[in-house]
């Protein structure tokens, strides 16, 4: 037993050290301005990732290809990146005003531009966490590409196997593949990847996009082709960071523009003196909770509130969604679309314009100046949470006057990985720890475990670890955090950054009330300690609807009763 404990601790220490090395290396490469991911300069990143072996990247350290991890990564990178030798990370440098058409990855809102056959530009407007995210995914992608290369190149001259020749013929064929031709190509691809025909045919349709049914075959071909070119012709892939990006990062340029637009609206509507409650959440649950009883009276007679919320979460129910949004916009909601590059939209709710408030008796008789203003901001990404919250809580300078917002509470709700439970369970944090550092942020959470229990959903409390990236976690390091005296119940990417900004504004800078109320609650998107329950295993479906609305209702109850 002691040996097992030592082995577990050693593996956790190795993993922690690997994450720290990746963090330091990525910052160094950024300051340097460029590097070759599969060259000497990228070696530390590759080695650290292979030591770490994150759950989300599955069998990255094995000879066989990792298919679920590949799907997860490719959904977060721009279409066509596998064909590009040159990947350039830029700031917002005006490409949106050019003939280049933005490419937006389906699972990450960021603008990317295909400059030519060889170059992809990726616009970074959400801070360092976005860079870590991209570099980690690219490192995984290029490691996988070299696995393909090693399985198909048979000599130093660059001769390739018959399997590769057949795959190349299928990918470059101009006519659409027949079912028989597709299955032949998938057979050869299975040999190249070291996977079974069943595994390959099972994953193939998940890569399909409307404009390219054969995207899976094309992806494998181009990954292998560029890796072969690197080894045989020494044409290394290169990642560069633009000079403007390197100068701007950390200056809060996008966050300041974003926050000023919100404050300008609040000032124009004479709302800055009213009790303001900030919620970091999605763009639907607060709106739906406040306005569904008014907008969908007939539907609510036939179905439970949860049933209605599940219907509203289905993108196929556009008419129902539009109905709620129209009522919201006519009765106190203002939608502020982001134009700053933060990719964070905002809703402002003037509750004085909501009929009967929110399930609160006597709300209508309350003086208007005492009725809350609710500001809902969409999810930030990693370190961007500090930038946006820090800027939002600063006083607004208007005509040489410094105007402070009357912020009464800040609530953070969202998805997180859980370490003891299952998808859809709820976590109530008591502190945030920042991974890779000794930084810790204990706080008084206005939401308690008892507030959310008794609703058919498991609720856990304890510390939450704010990670550098969800894609960098493995079971060993997470078990250490869970089993040790740190008592960690889950992991997410923004909590410590939000709390750092809130504490600075309240306790040090005096930008908001020192006794501002803080609420944090998360629902589980995955359990990275369970095989088959990681983020790569797919989304929540309707599992997330009940915890999302339960947390939303509890936050609103506390706001309206304050």
């Amino acid at each position: 037993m002691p040996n097992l404990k030592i082995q577990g601790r050693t593996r956790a220490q190795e993993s922690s050290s690997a994450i720290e090395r990746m963090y330091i290396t990525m910052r160094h490469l950024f300051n340097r301005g460029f590097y070759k991911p599969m060259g000497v300069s990228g070696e530390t990143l590759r080695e650290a990732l292979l030591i770490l072996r994150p759950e989300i990247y599955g069998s990255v350290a094995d000879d066989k290809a990792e298919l679920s991890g590949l799907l997860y990564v490719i959904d977060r990178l721009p279409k066509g990146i596998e064909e590009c030798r040159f990947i350039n990370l830029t700031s917002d440098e005006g490409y949106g005003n050019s003939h280049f058409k933005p490419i937006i990855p389906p699972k990450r809102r960021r603008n990317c531009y295909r400059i030519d056959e060889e170059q992809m530009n990726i616009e970074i407007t959400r801070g360092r966490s976005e860079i870590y995210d991209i570099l980690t995914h690219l490192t995984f992608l290029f490691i996988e590409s070299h696995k393909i290369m090693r399985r198909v190149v048979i000599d130093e001259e660059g001769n390739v196997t018959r399997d590769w020749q057949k795959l190349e013929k299928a990918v470059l064929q101009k006519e659409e593949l027949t079912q028989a031709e597709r299955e032949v190509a998938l057979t050869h691809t299975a040999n190249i990847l070291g996977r079974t025909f069943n595994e390959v045919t099972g994953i193939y349709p998940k890569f399909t996009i409307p404009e390219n049914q054969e995207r899976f075959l094309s992806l494998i071909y181009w990954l292998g082709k560029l890796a072969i070119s690197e080894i045989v012709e020494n044409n290394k892939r290169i990642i560069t960071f633009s000079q403007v990006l390197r100068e701007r990062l950390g200056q809060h340029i996008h966050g300041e523009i974003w926050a000023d637009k919100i404050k300008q609206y609040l000032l124009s509507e004479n709302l800055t003196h009213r009790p303001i409650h900030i919620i970091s959440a999605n763009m639907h649950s607060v709106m739906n909770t406040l306005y569904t009883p008014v907008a969908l009276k007939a539907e609510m007679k036939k179905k439970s509130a949860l049933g209605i919320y599940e219907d509203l979460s289905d993108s196929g129910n556009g008419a129902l969604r539009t109905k709620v949004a129209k009522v919201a916009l006519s009765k106190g909601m203002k939608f502020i679309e982001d134009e700053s590059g933060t990719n964070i939209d905002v809703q402002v709710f003037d509750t004085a314009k909501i009929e009967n408030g929110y399930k609160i008796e006597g709300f209508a008789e309350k003086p208007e100046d005492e009725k809350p203003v609710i500001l809902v901001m969409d999810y930030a990404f990693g370190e961007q949470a500090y930038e946006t919250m820090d800027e939002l809580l600063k006083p607004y300078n208007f005509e040489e006057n410094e105007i402070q917002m009357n912020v009464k509470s800040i609530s953070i709700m969202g998805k997180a990985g859980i370490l003891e439970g299952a998808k859809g369970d709820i976590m109530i944090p008591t502190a945030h720890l920042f991974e890779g550092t000794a930084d810790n942020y204990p706080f008084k959470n206005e939401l308690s475990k008892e507030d959310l229990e008794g609703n058919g959903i498991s609720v856990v409390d304890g510390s939450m670890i704010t990670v550098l990236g969800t894609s960098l976690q493995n079971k060993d390091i997470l078990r250490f955090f869970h089993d040790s005296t740190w008592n960690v119940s889950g992991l997410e990417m923004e909590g410590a950054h939000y709390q750092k900004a809130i504490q600075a504004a309240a306790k040090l800078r005096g930008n908001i009330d020192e006794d501002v109320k803080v609420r944090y609650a998360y629902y589980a998107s995955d359990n990275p300690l369970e095989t088959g329950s990681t983020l790569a295993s797919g989304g929540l479906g309707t599992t997330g609807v009940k915890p999302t609305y339960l947390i939303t209702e509890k936050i609103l109850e506390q706001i309206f009763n304050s």
Side-chain angles (χ1 to χ4, degrees), residues 355-375:
E355 291 176 19
N356 305 320
Y358 174 73
K359 302 178 185 175
I360 306 296
E361 286 184 23
F363 182 78
E365 289 74 48
K366 227 178 181 184
E368 186 173 304
D369 279 2
E370 293 177 21
K371 289 180 179 177
V373 173
I374 300 170
L375 192 159

Side-chain angles (χ1 to χ4, degrees), residues 313-484:
S313 72
D314 183 349
S315 55
N317 286 325
L320 209 61
R321 290 174 160 199
T322 304
K323 203 172 176 182
V324 177
K326 274 186 177 176
V327 170
L329 288 166
S330 68
K331 292 182 181 291
M333 184 184 92
K334 168 70 175 177
F335 178 69
I336 303 175
E337 188 173 3
D338 176 61
E339 294 173 347
S340 69
T342 60
N343 282 314
I344 300 175
D345 294 331
V346 169
Q347 295 163 327
V348 179
F349 299 91
D350 181 354
T351 64
K353 296 176 182 176
I354 298 175
E355 291 176 19
N356 305 320
Y358 174 73
K359 302 178 185 175
I360 306 296
E361 286 184 23
F363 182 78
E365 289 74 48
K366 227 178 181 184
E368 186 173 304
D369 279 2
E370 293 177 21
K371 289 180 179 177
V373 173
I374 300 170
L375 192 159
V376 179
M377 56 183 281
D378 207 348
Y379 299 122
F381 186 73
E383 290 185 21
Q384 186 193 32
Y386 175 77
E387 174 181 339
T388 49
M389 189 60 74
D390 182 57
E391 292 297 330
L392 185 58
L393 298 179
K394 282 179 183 175
Y396 181 54
N397 291 311
F398 179 71
E399 295 179 350
E400 298 183 11
N401 292 314
E402 198 174 75
I403 299 165
Q404 283 190 313
M405 293 196 300
N406 185 22
V407 178
K408 293 298 184 185
S409 78
I410 301 167
S411 304
I412 314 295
M413 64 168 284
K415 293 183 289 188
I418 196 167
L419 302 184
E420 189 178 326
K423 286 185 179 185
D425 290 353
I426 290 174
M427 290 154 278
I428 303 295
T430 52
H432 287 289
L433 318 171
F434 188 28
E435 182 180 49
T437 72
D439 298 354
N440 55 84
Y441 301 89
F443 54 87
K444 182 186 183 300
N445 194 341
E446 294 295 318
L447 288 172
S448 67
K449 188 177 173 181
E450 292 71 33
D451 288 333
L452 291 128
E453 283 180 325
N455 292 284
I457 298 176
S458 294
V459 185
V460 295
D461 57 10
S463 304
M464 295 283 286
I465 183 162
T466 298
V467 298
L468 292 175
T470 52
S471 57
L472 289 180
Q473 309 311 306
N474 68 23
K475 288 182 180 177
D476 300 287
I477 193 164
L478 295 177
R479 274 207 188 90
F480 166 74
F481 279 119
H482 179 255
D483 297 343
S484 70

Side-chain angles (χ1 to χ4, degrees), residues 284-306 308-309 312 320 323-325 327-328 331 349 354-360 549 552-553 556 560:
H284 55 81
S285 62
V286 173
M287 178 181 71
N288 290 345
T289 304
L290 290 174
Y291 293 99
T292 296
V294 179
L296 304 178
K297 281 179 185 173
E299 289 83 350
M300 289 196 82
K301 287 174 185 173
K302 301 169 192 170
K303 258 187 181 179
S304 67
L306 180 61
I308 297 288
Y309 295 146
L312 287 167
L320 209 61
K323 203 172 176 182
V324 177
V327 170
K331 292 182 181 291
F349 299 91
I354 298 175
E355 291 176 19
N356 305 320
Y358 174 73
K359 302 178 185 175
I360 306 296
Y549 283 91
T552 304
E553 286 180 355
L556 289 176
F560 278 95

Side-chain angles (χ1 to χ4, degrees), residues 182-195:
R182 185 177 298 115
E183 288 186 356
V184 168
L186 287 170
T187 300
H188 294 297
T189 305
N191 289 338
I192 290 166
L193 299 177
R195 293 288 187 174

Side-chain angles (χ1 to χ4, degrees), residues 219-239:
L219 179 66
I220 300 304
Y221 170 71
W222 281 102
L223 285 175
K225 182 178 171 64
L226 291 194
I228 292 167
S229 179
E230 281 191 315
I231 297 304
V232 176
E233 300 165 33
N234 202 33
N235 291 328
K236 299 288 186 190
R237 283 169 282 197
I238 298 174
I239 295 175

